[in-house]
Amino acid sequence: MKTVWFQVAGMCLCFAWVFCSFPPVDVDVVIQASLQNPEQVLLRLAIVGVVPGLLIPAASSLISSRPTKLVLFAVGCLLRLLGCYLSLVAFRLEDPFPLLFVSDFLMGCGTTVSLIFWGVLLHGQDIESNEKIFIASFAAVGLLVFSIGMFFSLHVVVFLFVMPLVELACYAIVCARCTCEAEQGLRRFKRAGKDFFWLMARTCIAITIVSFVWEMFATGVGALAIPKLALFGTGLAVSALVIWLFTKYSSNVGFAAAARWVLPIMAVGLLLGSFDDIASLSLACLLLAAAHASLETILRMQIIGFSRKDDFDPMRIIGWGFAAIMMGAFLGPALYHAVVPALVQPGASLVICVLAALVVISAFLFSDVGEKPAQALSQPADVVMRSVKMAEAYALSNREREVLEYLLEGRSHPYIRDELFISKSTVDTHVRHIYSKTGVKSKQELIDLSKRLAI
């Protein structure tokens, strides 16, 4: 079995565990409590893992070796198991809050460790592999959460204790077989700079918006066509399709492009949520879940992609970037519970229209500044010379010759997409034309042919 499938399985179990531990459509769980005292604010911070997400990367130079990461990953899984156990004990007490605070803090810390270390593993792989892993993972997450919500809802606790152990086994296998992640030791890294902090700020704002909208829907939704967790799982599976379409057909996979793709889906979900019939509410739940998961996943991929730039410390970039996502997941519900009770008899239609306008407008508030394609780096002289000879010999177009230069360098299709600012589908079409005109069937054959022509 290939290592990538263990990675897909491990990430699937990690996200599925989060969704089953804190059901996003169950308003009776403790994280839906009102924010009337500092303890509850701290509780939410602990749940989403913001605090450990900020602190763990700060010690990246001390935990860079694989054995250390494996040990910490195991500790994170044990914290999640201990947190689950304490939660079960807490609900038997007359005052469960103190013990729930501890259990949720442990689960938040454990989940944060897992997410950071899975992200660092992805940092060591190419863009195309990462996109495929995320898409496959969320397709699997959707299927798993749907199955648990539909058929095993009475046995969720069993899954909560089993999934971290299987995830740990998957991580251990990936670490043992992975050759792409270099040991970094006490290496000195470059500071990320203002571009990264701007990315974190926009990420936090975007997740705050979608979390606010989701909290509004989840708090007021009643009966649905199928169990809520199963329907949410279906939305997660749909998000895998949205991510695939986005990475294939969007000419820009930056922040603004993601907002323009995902937020209109959320606006439609909001409008459907204004109706009272079960069918509309069920479809709204599916669309809102798909939009939320799609945007969050795309932002995670962008953070991992940013960590490859220059000479940045991947654990710090990924850890703090993921912490911005977690902070947005905290701020959205917090703002909802702070704002909505203050409104005097808010009309449901008015609130929905305002939020829909906010979602649609926000897609245009985030400009493409910093996402325009930079001036392409000069290609090596021999690559340019070989591409010119091949273009002349096989009547390639100017755009095909541009794509050819990257192919002769061994670049992947997503890399070419990002450099030339065209969709991956367009890149695939140009590559097919190049292969057809030159009579080759693979990138290596193309490179060999160019070298023969250069002699």
Side-chain angles (χ1 to χ4, degrees), residues 105-437:
F105 179 77
L106 294 177
M107 289 190 285
C109 289
T111 303
T112 300
V113 170
S114 299
L115 289 174
I116 291 175
F117 286 157
W118 281 122
V120 172
L121 277 180
L122 291 171
H123 165 270
Q125 301 177 13
D126 60 84
I127 302 172
E128 189 167 21
S129 297
N130 284 352
E131 291 178 354
K132 290 179 179 179
I133 288 173
F134 268 113
I135 293 170
S137 296
F138 267 82
V141 169
L143 180 60
L144 181 57
V145 173
F146 172 84
S147 300
I148 293 175
M150 194 72 182
F151 307 110
F152 305 103
S153 58
L154 299 179
H155 306 285
V156 173
V157 174
V158 176
F159 285 95
L160 293 181
F161 280 94
V162 171
M163 285 192 286
L165 298 176
V166 180
E167 181 189 345
L168 175 59
C170 291
Y171 184 83
I173 292 173
V174 174
C175 281
R177 297 184 181 182
C178 184
T179 59
C180 57
E181 181 187 8
E183 297 288 345
Q184 295 162 351
L186 296 178
R187 175 181 172 189
R188 187 176 294 275
F189 289 97
K190 175 182 176 181
R191 291 184 179 273
K194 63 179 182 180
D195 288 341
F196 173 62
F197 292 103
W198 176 233
L199 173 63
M200 284 201 304
R202 296 203 297 180
T203 297
C204 184
I205 292 172
I207 297 299
T208 298
I209 292 173
V210 296
S211 297
F212 185 98
V213 173
W214 175 260
E215 186 75 3
M216 173 189 171
F217 172 80
T219 302
V221 68
L224 299 177
I226 61 176
K228 295 177 182 179
L229 189 60
L231 191 58
F232 184 80
T234 306
L236 295 177
V238 173
S239 74
L241 175 62
V242 174
I243 298 167
W244 177 77
L245 292 172
F246 174 73
T247 56
K248 186 173 180 63
Y249 293 105
S250 176
S251 60
N252 171 21
V253 293
F255 190 95
R260 286 193 293 267
W261 270 68
V262 174
L263 294 183
I265 299 175
M266 181 159 280
V268 174
L270 270 175
L271 294 176
L272 289 173
S274 64
F275 298 99
D276 293 329
D277 60 290
I278 293 179
S280 297
L281 290 174
S282 299
L283 184 56
C285 180
L286 189 150
L287 291 177
L288 291 172
H292 196 313
S294 299
L295 184 59
E296 181 175 329
T297 304
I298 291 170
L299 293 179
R300 289 187 188 277
M301 290 193 295
Q302 291 183 14
I303 290 167
I304 294 172
F306 187 92
S307 70
R308 294 194 185 90
K309 294 182 178 180
D310 298 322
D311 200 18
F312 298 146
D313 183 346
M315 185 169 292
R316 292 187 181 182
I317 296 296
I318 292 170
W320 291 335
F322 285 8
I325 293 176
M326 298 170 192
M327 179 61 78
F330 156 70
L331 289 176
L335 288 174
Y336 173 81
H337 289 289
V339 172
V340 172
L343 298 177
V344 179
Q345 296 181 343
S349 299
L350 177 61
V351 174
I352 290 174
C353 290
V354 170
L355 288 177
L358 177 63
V359 171
V360 174
I361 293 173
S362 64
F364 301 96
L365 289 180
F366 299 107
S367 66
D368 287 320
V369 175
E371 297 179 7
K372 297 294 184 183
Q375 187 68 28
L377 297 176
S378 299
Q379 304 286 6
D382 67 316
V383 169
V384 175
M385 181 267 293
R386 282 186 283 148
S387 66
V388 170
K389 286 191 174 183
M390 289 193 70
E392 293 175 351
Y394 296 101
L396 302 181
S397 67
N398 291 334
R399 178 60 88 179
E400 288 170 350
R401 190 182 71 79
E402 288 180 325
V403 173
L404 175 63
E405 289 182 1
Y406 289 102
L407 292 175
L408 296 182
E409 276 197 301
R411 301 298 188 179
S412 66
H413 292 200
Y415 182 93
I416 300 172
R417 171 199 64 198
D418 298 340
E419 289 295 314
L420 297 182
F421 215 59
I422 57 179
S423 70
K424 184 174 176 290
S425 175
T426 303
V427 175
D428 295 340
T429 300
H430 286 313
V431 173
R432 284 198 302 270
H433 290 167
I434 293 172
Y435 283 6
S436 176
K437 291 180 179 180

Side-chain angles (χ1 to χ4, degrees), residues 430-449:
H430 286 313
V431 173
R432 284 198 302 270
H433 290 167
I434 293 172
Y435 283 6
S436 176
K437 291 180 179 180
T438 57
V440 301
K441 297 181 179 179
S442 67
K443 188 186 299 181
Q444 187 58 53
E445 288 184 14
L446 187 68
I447 295 173
D448 295 339
L449 176 59

